[in-house]
Amino acid sequence: MLSNSNNELISRVGPGTSMGNLLRRFWVPALLEEEIAEPDSPPVRLRLFGEDLVAFKDSDGEVGILDEHCRHRQVSLYFGRNEECGLRCVYHGWKFDVQGNCVDMPSEPNPSKSLMAKAKLQAYPTALRGGVVWVYMGPADKMPQLPAFEWSNLPPMHRIATKRKQHNNWAQAVEGGIDSAHISYLHSKIDPDHPVNEGLPGRGQGGDRHPVFDVRDVDYGLLIAARRDLDAANYYYRITQFLLPFYTMIPGPVRKAPDEDIYYGGHAWVPIDDDSTWTWSFGVRAGRPFTEKEHAFMGGKDGYWGPVDDEYNSLHKAENDYLMDRDVQAVGNYTGIRGIPNQDAAVQESMGSIVDRSRELLGHSDTAIIKLIQMAQDLEKGIEPAAPHYGEWYNVRSVSVNLERDTDWVEGAKPYFPGTAMKVAAE
Ligand code: FES
Ligand SMILES: [Fe+2]
């Protein structure tokens, strides 16, 4: 059980907080490139870790993420004009480049160098990778590496990135992602052929509702096996990862051979502030591109991770009980709510925006939370986290696989993992 002070520590992410400082040591997904697709396209608002920001792509295709408020009179630069390599405030025309430098101050006839320097806005380094704009909001002298997720280096038709807003603290969403036991209930089907289950992966093998967990502490986070009984000779393993500080991996359908169609997904839960979170979802097809139909289903605003509106708010929300249908709950799926992401949001938001962990009875999924608390406390003492500086650690895959009962799962699953995953796990 976690104490109230730890509950406070894990939840608070604003500037100067322990957890906020830790999370700011990493590159984080900030927005989809589609939101600012073209040079000189309109700027967008962005709130991350309790900071109000504005993002834009300049005439040269460089992305700027700046403090939202103009240094002159604090007007929102969301209303700004994105023109000729800078964002110009509409109030008196001060103009800022992607580094936050004030490059024009038309309201001042002869601005001194020191006034121009003082007018510099807070700007954060950005990077474009995998259709995502990444941002680094930590100290300049602690610049990390970008996480080398497989999807982030694949061509567009091999990958999908989506986001949706969730109205609860980031940490309880992370826990939900790690807690693989819930798929046997929350996401289970009553009649797999019912229309509510259309487009979802096959019947699955989650029938054994008593998974046995084996959690390995690894450099990038945790490697987690959920073992279920399959038949007299075999177990069904669902092997997932938690990667620091807020990523999880989701395996696709059971694979029979390492070179069989490689399909898996992942999440990132990026704090908007203490009470709300961007839920990112990623899809990967490493062996072949997605078909147009698959890509539209998994990636579109109306698709699997939606439906969402133009601001990436889910149309299934607390105010409408996530469009739950009691008749569907009786005969179709376990919740009566359409779509796995909506089912997750319903349970996680219903816990309250910041769940009181001192009242919970926790299971193994708190391992990740305890690890994060430890790292935040270490950082307070000046011990820097290692993971931000090893981008390659993030090049891992999750997998569902059936293995003979007497096979060691780490050995048995090894051929299904590329890169560093198993090397790290074996240490
Ligand atoms: S408030 Fe932005 S230029 Fe004056
Ligand atoms: Fe879930």
Side-chain angles (χ1 to χ4, degrees), residues 70-75 77 89-94 96 107:
C70 177
R71 278 291 277 144
H72 184 211
R73 303 285 304 277
Q74 296 296 304
V75 164
L77 290 168
C89 177
V90 289
Y91 204 7
H92 313 92
W94 290 23
F96 302 91
S107 62

Side-chain angles (χ1 to χ4, degrees), residues 229-235 404-405:
D229 287 339
L230 182 64
D231 53 39
N234 298 285
Y235 288 127
E404 286 175 15
R405 286 190 175 229

Side-chain angles (χ1 to χ4, degrees), residues 40 43 77-84 86-90 95:
D40 293 336
L77 290 168
Y78 170 74
F79 300 109
R81 299 176 61 92
N82 184 9
E83 55 189 27
E84 296 165 65
L87 192 55
R88 195 181 281 282
C89 177
V90 289
K95 183 175 173 181

Side-chain angles (χ1 to χ4, degrees), residues 237-240 250-252 255 397-401 413 416-417:
Y237 283 95
R238 201 166 179 270
I239 301 170
T240 59
I250 321 160
R255 280 164 58 200
R397 291 175 185 157
S398 54
V399 67
S400 297
V401 67
Y416 294 85
F417 291 88

Side-chain angles (χ1 to χ4, degrees), residues 176-177 179 182-183 186-187 267 340-341 343-344 347-348:
D179 161 28
H182 79 263
I183 61 161
L186 183 70
H187 304 312
H267 289 298
I340 290 174
Q343 295 157 8
D344 283 321
V347 297
Q348 290 167 13

Side-chain angles (χ1 to χ4, degrees), residues 11 18-19 22 26 30 37 65 101 149 162 165-166 170 180 190 203 216 234 244 255 285 304 327 377 387 401 413:
S11 312
S18 297
M19 192 52 66
L22 176 66
F26 294 80
I65 293 186
N101 299 307
F149 287 109
T162 67
K165 196 181 282 178
Q166 195 164 321
W170 70 286
S180 160
I190 293 168
R203 284 165 194 262
R216 308 272 173 118
N234 298 285
L244 294 162
R255 280 164 58 200
R285 278 216 183 269
Y304 180 75
D327 294 333
Q377 288 170 338
V401 67

